[in-house]
Amino acid sequence: LPGFAQATAWSESHATSLVALGDSNGRVYILDPATGALRPLPTPSGSEVKWLAFSEDDAWLAAGRHDGAVFAFDAASGNPLNAGGMQQDFSVSQVAISHLERLLVASGFGETALWRLPEPGPTGLEATRLISGPVRSAALTNSVGASLQTGLLATADISGEIRLWRLPRPTVLRASSGPGAMSVAGNLYFDGEHLPDVAWNKLRIVSIDDATPTPWAELPQPIAYAALLDAGRTLLATSGASMYVFDAPSMRLRYQPVALPANPLRMTASSDGAVAIFAFGANGGAGFEERLRAYDLR
């Protein structure tokens, strides 16, 4: 291994004849035993890698380190599956990952953290740490068994107690709402039925009951903000330095695009769809400042 590091963890893939290696410097590699080729994966230096695991189809690889950092990679390309980090406040001694459920389980010393990995898209998104999880147990290092295909976890306590947990399996709506756009609005309103779906410069509305989504509306530039207001009747979006207001059910513009002074830095809107406020960057007497401008959406 490079840098005179020691191998501290390894895992063999199920069917693709690859070996994942982790070292004492926190680095992760994929080894092809047939050729001896060693491929490094993008991991920052840190404490030793404690556990490596391939997903059920060998498409993904998870790594956990002593310093609490967890990483997830596409095994073929080596690219990270998420932006940002997945950091635990405990030392990770074991990880498991499911491609089908987009779920990563990190555990160590009686603590367990569950992470939902993002859908792929043109911009990298962060993984989401789930609020639910097994309660802490009095345990040593490897105290969690995972069967992600069946949606079950087993935890062991030093007292001899074993508990069985059912993993959360929410319905995944394949739509990118706020995080699908380039920025997240200052608020989020939900009418209980509909969500905006953003794909770069295209926009539509999807229903959580799997009803047919609206047709795509294509805007000239990538969409920075998208918000569904007025109980799902008004759709507000920004593309470049322009504001678009749609009648949500028909996806027709209520009026011509409104020119903005510049690309907005921030946006917030009232839930009734009456007013939107944007922040624009400017140079003032004391340096950089943000100027607020309100718009009557009606």
Side-chain angles (χ1 to χ4, degrees):
L1 294 175
F4 303 99
Q6 296 177 331
T8 56
W10 70 277
S11 178
E12 187 178 10
S13 63
H14 302 90
T16 55
S17 301
L18 296 176
V19 174
L21 295 171
D23 70 13
S24 53
N25 294 329
R27 305 286 189 176
V28 179
Y29 307 85
I30 290 184
L31 171 69
D32 184 347
T35 64
L38 189 67
R39 176 161 50 99
L41 301 184
T43 47
S45 297
S47 61
E48 70 271 21
V49 178
K50 303 295 290 185
W51 199 275
L52 294 157
F54 284 92
S55 62
E56 68 277 8
D57 56 0
D58 293 334
W60 289 0
L61 173 68
R65 300 197 312 201
H66 177 70
D67 57 13
V70 172
F71 305 91
F73 306 96
D74 180 277
S77 66
N79 294 329
L81 297 176
N82 62 289
M86 292 184 285
Q87 183 67 41
Q88 283 45 239
D89 55 359
F90 57 87
S91 176
V92 175
S93 59
Q94 194 171 350
V95 292
I97 188 169
S98 170
H99 186 189
L100 179 63
E101 297 294 329
R102 310 192 72 85
L103 187 69
L104 187 148
V105 180
S107 60
F109 297 93
E111 301 277 4
T112 306
L114 308 179
W115 293 86
R116 188 77 65 185
L117 295 163
E119 295 283 341
T123 57
L125 302 177
E126 294 188 1
T128 302
R129 182 164 178 173
L130 303 185
I131 298 175
S132 59
V135 297
R136 190 184 187 282
S137 60
L140 300 178
T141 54
N142 302 88
S143 59
V144 176
S147 175
L148 302 187
Q149 290 78 16
T150 59
L152 295 174
L153 286 182
T155 61
D157 193 285
I158 59 174
S159 65
E161 182 178 68
I162 295 178
R163 295 181 178 182
L164 197 62
W165 307 84
R166 192 173 302 281
L167 287 169
R169 281 189 168 179
T171 300
V172 177
L173 186 64
R174 297 195 176 277
S176 297
S177 183
M182 297 176 64
S183 305
V184 179
N187 49 20
L188 175 63
Y189 301 115
F190 180 45
D191 67 352
E193 298 181 14
H194 305 94
L195 289 168
D197 183 15
V198 176
W200 197 235
N201 69 327
K202 294 183 178 181
L203 179 69
R204 67 178 180 178
I205 297 174
V206 298
S207 173
I208 64 171
D209 60 4
D210 294 328
T212 303
T214 65
W216 287 103
E218 186 170 346
L219 303 184
Q221 298 183 48
I223 296 169
Y225 292 99
L228 198 56
L229 309 168
D230 192 19
R233 290 184 287 266
T234 299
L235 178 61
L236 169 65
T238 66
S239 172
S242 296
M243 178 181 72
Y244 298 79
V245 179
F246 294 87
D247 176 72
S250 65
M251 287 301 291
R252 293 179 180 175
L253 284 171
R254 289 191 174 155
Y255 38 80
Q256 291 300 310
V258 177
L260 304 175
N263 289 10
L265 299 179
R266 311 177 198 280
M267 185 201 83
T268 188
S270 60
S271 61
D272 59 2
V275 177
I277 300 177
F278 297 95
F280 302 97
N283 291 318
F288 177 78
E289 61 186 25
E290 294 186 23
R291 297 177 181 173
L292 306 183
R293 182 174 287 192
Y295 289 84
D296 185 337
L297 298 181
R298 292 172 180 169

